Amino acid sequence: MFSSQYSRSHNGQVAEDPYLWLEDITGDDALAWVRAHNEPTIAQLNSERFETMRSEILEILDTDARIPYPGRRGEFLYNFWRDEANPRGLWRRTTLESYRTDDPDWDVILDLDELARAEDENWVWSGPEVIEPDHTLAMISLSRGGADAAVVREFDMRTREFVSGGFELPEAKSSVSWEDEDTLLVCTDFGEGSMTESGYPRIAKRWRRGQPLAEAETVYEAEPTDVRVIASVDRSPGFEHTRLGRYTDFYHRIRYELRDGELVELKVPTDSSLSLHREWLLISLRTDWQVGDVTYPAGALLGTKFDDFLSGTADLAMIYEPDEHSSLAGVQWTKEKLILVTLRDVASHVEIVTPGTWEHRDAPDIPPATDTIVVDSDHFGDEVFYNSSGFTTPSKLLYGTAGGPLVEVKSAPAFYDASGIDVEQFFATSKDGTQVPYFVVGRRDEPSPTHLYGYGGFQNSLTPGYLGGAGRAWLARGGTFVQANIRGGGEYGPDWHKQAMRENRHLVYEDFAAVAADLVSRGITTVEQLGASGGSNGGLLMGVMLTHYPELFGALVCSVPLLDMKRFHLLLAGASWVAEYGNPDDPADWEFMSKYSPYQNISKDAKYPPILITTSTRDDRVHPGHARKMTAALEAAGHQVLYYENIEGGHGGAADNKQAAFRSALTYEFLWQTLSG
């Protein structure tokens, strides 16, 4: 059973890995192993309080009082909706006039529960690629159990039926884009040699209606060592564009515009991000860029006319320049305006920019001290929807035009009583002296059970959105919630992330440890009452807290995690993250990675806090073998570990609201049992 063993070197010692088989088990063997670990976990946590938490969270996820967030496509607003009666979901639409009423008249386009029953499949919605500006056809992606890989099928939005004999792709990590109603650009698994080492498509083909997929015309190829190929089409009338290219690693791309059958390279920094809208090109920088005598700083946003850029006559305008307290959070276009969202010490600020003059003015009617995002903006008009919320402030959906007055069209109810609950921002001093911000949400009368959450990777920012489920299950019971904005994220721009990449990864963990220690020193909590959780890259964070900082915590929850950093690049999409972490096959990289890799640093002699590890069998991004192997190794070393593996769920860990509520309740009940005494 212990097949496929390998040797590893760590601290001068060579040892076999007896748990490597846990990456490979499938079918009945995998189910038996999962059940043997799931059942005692459920039995231990299946208390009356757990059931109450699960019901409370499910009520929030299923309630009709939630905001049905819209997306404009032509004359209709579209929404995908799950509730108790429709656990897999409804793809539906309505008019703006109807949407603004208390009880919109929703027209169901596709009932996913009905489809799943008819086809006897556990379909999970992965979204549509709708042809624009026609909005008549869609390529709909359907995932089995929530995996990243999906089946893609052509759907006629007029007849509300899948097109018989139409475009259809078998299960794969595909992407498609409409060239016209009879032609797609397709990136998928075309067979042997067509996928990268990261498990994504490396070939883009032009596929015409009625043509066998095998005969589709190749338009661009990436290298096997690249992360994936890029192919997209913008069909805006009068401003049509086709872009091709390849991700050479997670952050670097080589991009081309396809013009008259020729590839024209877009000569921008390969780690920059581009936004192309009508005649305008935006360039968002991750590193400094020198153009002539001018150096544009990392984190800046530049704008110019696209044709001028291609001809080499571009006048680059500095639309946004960051400072040490602020960063670019996102940009969205309406037809004639640019919406600029920035963060200042992790608080949102929204501005409206006029292309050409690049004049800025604050967006009116945005509530202060909230987390505000653009839900949807109309590229063919001037309509915009914003969502605004805070940790204790339920979401409000604001509607208007870009730069015009806004009105509240929907609001979510309060899902918990926030009276007496304070929100404060503090700064912890990390080991190297860096000030690391974090938010504390709770009642400050005395030290209380505290849930500390973090991520710290891939330039993902954690912002202060409404705590619905956590509010009901945790804050309302007297707990405190903390969100740490550690390095590795994007809260202070690209440099906040780049400081903590590869050989400097230890800064992520030092930052999080500093926040944990600061919480105790301020009297917000005690070590025995402090728990932490994280998922994916945040699951790696939890693994490092367990093996390197166990004295700081009373409990940990580690979800869909990376943990074996010796083999992460050999599993599923792992090779795509080498730019973030390093290459363990390179001895120089493994030297610094081996010092923190949780799986390789388990100690029999250390005293670890209790830990709950969760994953999903259908996670085809981060292999469940990470969680399984870590659990087995911790058990063998005599440590207290609980384990739960959802058979469905993908990398999100849950395929529907019931599963999401169960998973959340599992986390909160485990933390409450271990931290509340």
Side-chain angles (χ1 to χ4, degrees), residues 527-543:
V527 169
E528 295 75 20
Q529 293 175 301
L530 178 57
S533 76
S536 190
N537 173 75
L540 171 59
L541 172 64
M542 293 303 104

Side-chain angles (χ1 to χ4, degrees), residues 255-322:
R255 289 157 286 200
Y256 302 90
E257 169 86 356
L258 184 63
R259 287 205 165 183
D260 302 321
E262 298 293 327
L263 292 176
V264 180
E265 184 174 357
L266 304 183
K267 295 183 179 180
V268 295
T270 57
D271 62 351
S272 63
S273 297
L274 303 183
S275 172
L276 185 57
H277 172 71
R278 298 173 68 83
E279 70 266 42
W280 301 108
L281 173 68
L282 301 183
I283 306 168
S284 178
L285 299 178
R286 274 179 49 84
T287 52
D288 292 352
W289 185 30
Q290 184 166 347
V291 181
D293 296 330
V294 180
T295 298
Y296 298 99
L301 180 69
L302 312 178
T304 187
K305 286 193 171 181
F306 185 56
D307 285 344
D308 291 348
F309 183 82
L310 289 184
S311 67
T313 61
D315 180 17
L316 294 173
M318 180 86 78
I319 301 172
Y320 171 77
E321 184 173 5

Side-chain angles (χ1 to χ4, degrees), residues 45 107 201 213 271 287 313 346 395 458 641:
L45 299 180
D107 180 14
L213 182 61
D271 62 351
T287 52
T313 61
V346 206
S395 292
F458 297 94
V641 54

Side-chain angles (χ1 to χ4, degrees), residues 19 30 153 330 367 476 485 510 638 672:
Y19 307 113
R153 295 158 60 178
N485 300 111
E510 290 171 5
W672 202 260

